[in-house]
Amino acid sequence: MTAFPSPLGLGILAVATCSLLASCSGGGPQTATVTGKVTYNGRPVTAGSLTFLPKTQATGRPASGVISEAGEYFTGTFNERDGVLIGVAAVSYAPPPIDNKGEKIVYGAPPPQGPYDGLVVKVREVEIAPGSNVIDVELIPATKP
């Protein structure tokens, strides 16, 4: 003899499942899509990465994006393309690592410089709005203190 769950048992199971799914998908911080282009002197920057550090959420997790050879980027906070936490974010740029192409490293000598070393983001804070955001980033030389 096969036992079937009662309608009341099925109803309780359905409510519990919906509650669990709602708390997992909608209860966390909200992100918004952020994409754009990165330029220096009007030309695309073809390597490096951007970081968006939330300033309006005390426990905000940073988002990052790798810059493509076309100078474009997209961002991710919890996965590769889910965007940036909504609110004000500080933006920073990191140049790509330098490949010394097998050259001997001389200790005490200045490290080799890449084409994007010493550059910083011109506008260092941006507002991330709900939905889709296109934020083009211009790099400028860092000022020396």
Side-chain angles (χ1 to χ4, degrees):
M1 177 175 219
T2 305
F4 292 100
S6 70
L8 178 61
L10 288 175
I12 292 172
L13 179 62
V15 169
T17 302
C18 289
S19 297
L20 179 62
L21 290 175
S23 67
C24 291
S25 64
Q30 298 297 307
T31 60
T33 303
V34 178
T35 60
K37 296 181 180 181
V38 182
T39 58
Y40 172 59
N41 285 336
R43 301 179 74 187
V45 170
T46 60
S49 62
L50 295 175
T51 300
F52 291 77
L53 181 62
K55 295 187 82 175
T56 53
Q57 297 189 26
T59 59
R61 182 175 177 169
S64 62
V66 175
I67 302 167
S68 74
E69 289 183 7
E72 299 172 343
Y73 74 94
F74 56 86
T75 55
T77 298
F78 301 103
N79 64 55
E80 190 175 281
R81 291 183 180 246
D82 68 345
V84 178
L85 293 174
I86 295 170
V88 176
V91 185
S92 62
Y93 169 75
I98 299 298
D99 179 6
N100 69 351
K101 298 178 175 86
E103 294 177 19
K104 185 177 179 181
I105 297 174
V106 178
Y107 293 97
Q113 296 290 304
Y116 304 121
D117 284 353
L119 298 179
V120 296
V121 175
K122 182 176 182 180
V123 177
R124 297 184 181 175
E125 284 189 6
V126 294
E127 177 74 32
I128 309 300
S132 182
N133 298 262
V134 176
I135 300 175
D136 292 334
V137 175
E138 181 182 354
L139 301 181
I140 59 173
T143 56
K144 297 183 181 182

